[in-house]
Amino acid sequence: LALGGAANVAQNVVALGARARLVAAVGRDAAAGQLRTALDHLGASTAGLVEVDRPTTTKTRVVARAQQLLRFDEESDANLDDAEALRIKNAVALAVDGAHALVLEDYEKGVLTIDVIDFAIRHATERGIPVVVDPKTRNYYAYAGATVFKPNRRELQVARGTAKDFDADATLLAEAADMNVGALLLTLGEHGMALAERGAGVVHRIPTTAREVYDVVGAGDTVTAYLAAMLAAGATAFEAAVVANFAAGVEVGKSGAATVSAAEVRAAYDQHVAG
């Protein structure tokens, strides 16, 4: 059993020494019970789990010699109905009231409806806490007001068109302005990251720190968790991105969706400085 999706972000947050409250829709099934038990074991709050009339999203992987052969998914990706969405918004409000950062982890499972997204960002903004978004393409344009918007290159190309030159600083700054977000953090796999800070009008190129790549599964969740934790602690977007980049470099050297501790990130930084 391994936690995935937004739950993997939550366990990464806990692994680096912060606290997490997961808001999510779960079914009335055994998988929901397993999720609660796993989160309890981590020390992450389960108060934001909302039971709805759909199965808990479950992915079963068939692996041989460290290679995935098949995957079976049990899920529903239809939007929550109005009553269910209201319960999610109530859970978001309670979570945000006790938080120092908000992460919106969009897996296109129908939980982050446009109404829920708008409510969550407005509530966080009113409380003055940063918002980190890991988007997909369905509601790509719904995240105006986010502090850091973190697509990967493929998501950006699908949403905005492949004809644009996303290697150009001017294009990335224009994207941040068009999306009305504080910063656009474009993750580029083995090429690291590019952070376009809208207010400063600058683009930072952050090269990868990975010394070896074993498995990229879960690296994006690690980046998201470290971004949020660093911003919650008062870091700038650039400082948060640099630390998150080191965390990703550690994560890809592990098998599967693994967590990365603060001690591992410090060790990776020391090794990088030492050459």
Side-chain angles (χ1 to χ4, degrees):
L1 174 67
L3 294 176
N8 187 41
V9 177
Q11 73 175 343
N12 270 275
V13 168
V14 173
L16 63 85
R19 296 191 302 273
R21 175 182 286 198
L22 177 64
V23 176
V26 299
R28 298 177 178 87
D29 50 25
Q34 291 176 309
L35 175 60
R36 292 179 192 278
T37 299
L39 291 171
D40 285 337
H41 180 74
L42 288 174
S45 173
T46 61
L49 298 184
V50 176
E51 289 189 352
V52 297
D53 291 324
R54 63 174 66 192
T56 302
T57 297
T58 305
K59 301 177 184 296
T60 303
R61 291 178 170 87
V62 178
V63 178
R65 296 182 180 179
Q67 297 295 317
Q68 179 176 302
L69 303 180
L70 297 169
R71 193 181 80 187
F72 304 96
D73 296 352
E74 183 179 7
E75 63 184 13
S76 170
D77 62 1
N79 281 348
L80 299 178
D81 64 33
D82 290 345
E84 292 168 338
L86 178 59
R87 293 169 61 207
I88 289 288
K89 287 192 289 185
N90 290 338
V92 168
L94 288 173
V96 167
D97 286 345
H100 296 93
L102 170 67
V103 174
L104 296 177
E105 190 76 15
D106 195 345
Y107 285 93
E108 295 186 334
K109 305 304 180 190
V111 178
L112 283 177
T113 63
I114 291 176
D115 189 38
V116 169
I117 293 167
D118 180 67
F119 174 86
I121 293 178
R122 282 192 293 106
H123 198 67
T125 301
E126 288 168 0
R127 290 204 63 252
I129 67 173
V131 179
V132 176
V133 175
D134 190 357
K136 288 291 185 287
T137 55
R138 182 191 295 178
N139 292 326
Y140 191 88
Y141 300 98
Y143 291 100
T147 308
V148 179
F149 186 75
K150 186 190 76 70
N152 60 38
R153 190 182 187 96
R154 188 188 70 81
E155 289 163 347
L156 183 59
Q157 287 175 329
V158 170
R160 305 293 281 172
T162 57
K164 293 188 177 184
D165 181 9
F166 293 117
D167 292 321
D169 289 2
T171 302
L172 297 181
L173 288 169
E175 290 299 309
D178 287 347
M179 298 299 298
N180 191 21
V181 295
L184 173 73
L185 180 62
L186 183 62
T187 55
L188 300 167
E190 68 272 19
H191 300 296
M193 305 175 178
L195 176 70
E197 293 192 90
R198 180 180 167 200
V202 297
V203 176
H204 304 278
R205 303 284 174 173
I206 307 170
T208 183
T209 60
R211 298 203 168 215
E212 62 178 19
V213 177
Y214 182 79
D215 191 342
V216 299
V217 172
D221 294 342
T222 298
V223 169
T224 302
Y226 270 84
L227 277 174
M230 290 295 296
L231 291 171
T236 65
F238 176 62
E239 291 167 340
V242 169
V243 172
N245 189 50
F246 274 102
V250 174
E251 202 280 342
V252 297
K254 301 182 178 185
S255 176
T259 59
V260 177
S261 69
E264 288 176 306
V265 174
R266 287 195 297 268
Y269 174 78
D270 292 341
Q271 188 177 19
H272 178 78
V273 171

